[in-house]
Amino acid sequence: MNSTKLTRRRLLAGAGAAGLASVTGLSLLTDDALGYTHSATITGASEVSLQSDWRATHNGRVVSQSGEGVETTDDGATATVSNVLPGDTGTLSFQVTPASEDGETPTVQPYLTLELTETAENGRNEPERKAGDDTPDVGELQDYLQVEVWFDTGIMGVDAFGGDNGTQDLGEGLVDPDAQGSLEEVADALDDVAIGDCPMGDEPLAVTMGWEFPEEQEDQNMTQGDSVEFDVVLVPEQCDGDQ
């Protein structure tokens, strides 16, 4: 388990997607896909900490090998998505719990940011040109990749009924009203968004980001060879008024 300090804008998790890409449907995870693969303790500038646990899935299966799943680093946790094919789906899930100090649970407020860091074209092939791709340096995948980010807390908030299962069940709301749409739209909307109650208490808070690329989209050949990279930033801060 790693322990690291982060400022508010320091990156905790990085993720990328690349491909000829089409992904569709935020699918239910299989039984062997429910376990977290990586953990880290993250300390914010206000010296409060979160215990974080992470997993990534691709087509309902946990992806944990190097370069494709989630890895803990000195900066927290890094996730990547690659080799995306038509009909693929995936998730990036995490749960966080305040890390107690001296047996006392700190009053922690997590903040979440989704930030695009690269939108590469990686050259234009003939199908891309025929589809109307006229940008030699900027890819279009971020406009076609669809995402949602929600509280994965179970049906109507009951953890025993679908909590932390990677599927958006009845009553599981978005972390923000604008936390759905294209990757670019959601990245624009999720900038230092407070998630969960403050203080959190000592129960884990589970969040899932689901990604998809619907198969039927106009001019989707423009995404061939394109890639995107994005960071999921999670920073703990002390609740307002607490010292």
Side-chain angles (χ1 to χ4, degrees), residues 16-22 58-59 65 67-68 81-86 88 211:
L20 273 170
S22 283
H58 191 162
N59 293 335
Q65 58 265 40
E68 295 185 7
V81 180
S82 60
N83 300 318
V84 180
L85 299 173
D88 285 359
W211 53 264

Side-chain angles (χ1 to χ4, degrees), residues 82-194:
S82 60
N83 300 318
V84 180
L85 299 173
D88 285 359
T89 64
T91 62
L92 175 62
S93 296
F94 64 86
Q95 69 172 8
V96 290
T97 309
S100 62
E101 300 176 2
D102 300 324
E104 296 185 3
T105 302
T107 57
V108 178
Q109 174 70 75
Y111 288 83
L112 177 68
T113 294
L114 179 61
E115 182 176 1
L116 276 171
T117 58
E118 184 177 22
T119 57
E121 182 68 66
N122 300 314
R124 288 179 295 158
N125 58 28
E126 188 61 24
E128 287 180 284
R129 290 188 175 93
K130 287 184 177 180
D133 189 346
D134 58 1
T135 56
D137 301 317
V138 179
E140 291 74 33
L141 184 56
Q142 68 278 3
D143 297 320
Y144 286 77
L145 201 64
Q146 301 295 306
V147 302
E148 295 185 32
V149 188
W150 66 89
F151 295 111
D152 203 351
T153 52
I155 296 174
M156 304 307 294
V158 180
D159 182 70
F161 296 105
D164 196 18
N165 66 356
T167 298
Q168 189 176 12
D169 295 312
L170 180 66
E172 291 182 335
L174 300 174
V175 298
D176 183 86
D178 295 321
Q180 60 181 343
S182 72
L183 175 57
E184 185 166 42
E185 291 170 339
V186 176
D188 286 342
L190 296 187
D191 184 10
D192 217 23
V193 174

